[in-house]
Amino acid sequence: YNLESTSADGQRLMALILLIAIAYTCAVLAGRNSRQMGLQKYIGRLKELNRLHRRHSAFWVGLYGQLWVGAMEFWADLAHDLMRLKPSKLPYFRKGLRAMSLIQSAL
């Protein structure tokens, strides 16, 4: 964050820092909740075999989960049309839709 460019001082600076801390905490908690529910595989790539550490942090998973749900809501009509084109893949689509609803409930 580039706090210097805000020209905030005193109470305004403290309010801005508090807002950033609250947003970060909300994203981390949403990411942890998504991981505990086993939804990370829908949100982002899991840990690869040769990696020592996880690919994405709980912060990233929380933020990207919100973006994923927002994009799915925005493109819902198109997604349902595509699902109708491939009826053999319907069980996989349903798993994704269930994951989306669980992520929405976690947020």
Side-chain angles (χ1 to χ4, degrees):
Y1 305 105
N2 190 2
L3 293 176
E4 291 84 18
S5 68
T6 63
S7 301
D9 56 359
Q11 187 174 5
R12 185 171 176 213
L13 178 64
M14 291 302 294
L16 188 59
I17 292 172
L18 182 62
L19 180 66
I20 291 169
I22 290 171
Y24 179 80
T25 302
C26 289
V28 169
L29 291 176
R32 285 183 184 171
N33 196 11
S34 296
R35 274 194 185 147
Q36 288 175 349
M37 294 173 77
L39 301 173
Q40 185 181 1
K41 63 184 172 185
Y42 295 101
I43 297 171
R45 187 179 301 168
L46 297 174
K47 182 180 167 189
E48 289 107 4
L49 294 176
N50 296 330
R51 267 178 112 77
L52 297 177
H53 304 288
R54 283 190 168 133
R55 184 173 180 92
H56 300 295
S57 66
F59 173 71
W60 187 92
V61 171
L63 283 183
Y64 200 72
Q66 292 174 351
L67 290 174
W68 187 68
V69 169
M72 189 62 183
E73 289 173 353
F74 184 76
W75 297 105
D77 296 333
L78 181 61
H80 287 293
D81 290 343
L82 290 173
M83 286 181 215
R84 278 190 227 113
L85 290 175
K86 296 284 187 181
S88 63
K89 304 288 184 188
L90 195 58
Y92 301 109
F93 293 139
R94 285 192 181 136
K95 285 171 88 175
L97 291 173
R98 184 173 185 282
M100 185 181 72
S101 67
L102 289 173
I103 292 169
Q104 283 176 326
S105 69
L107 302 175

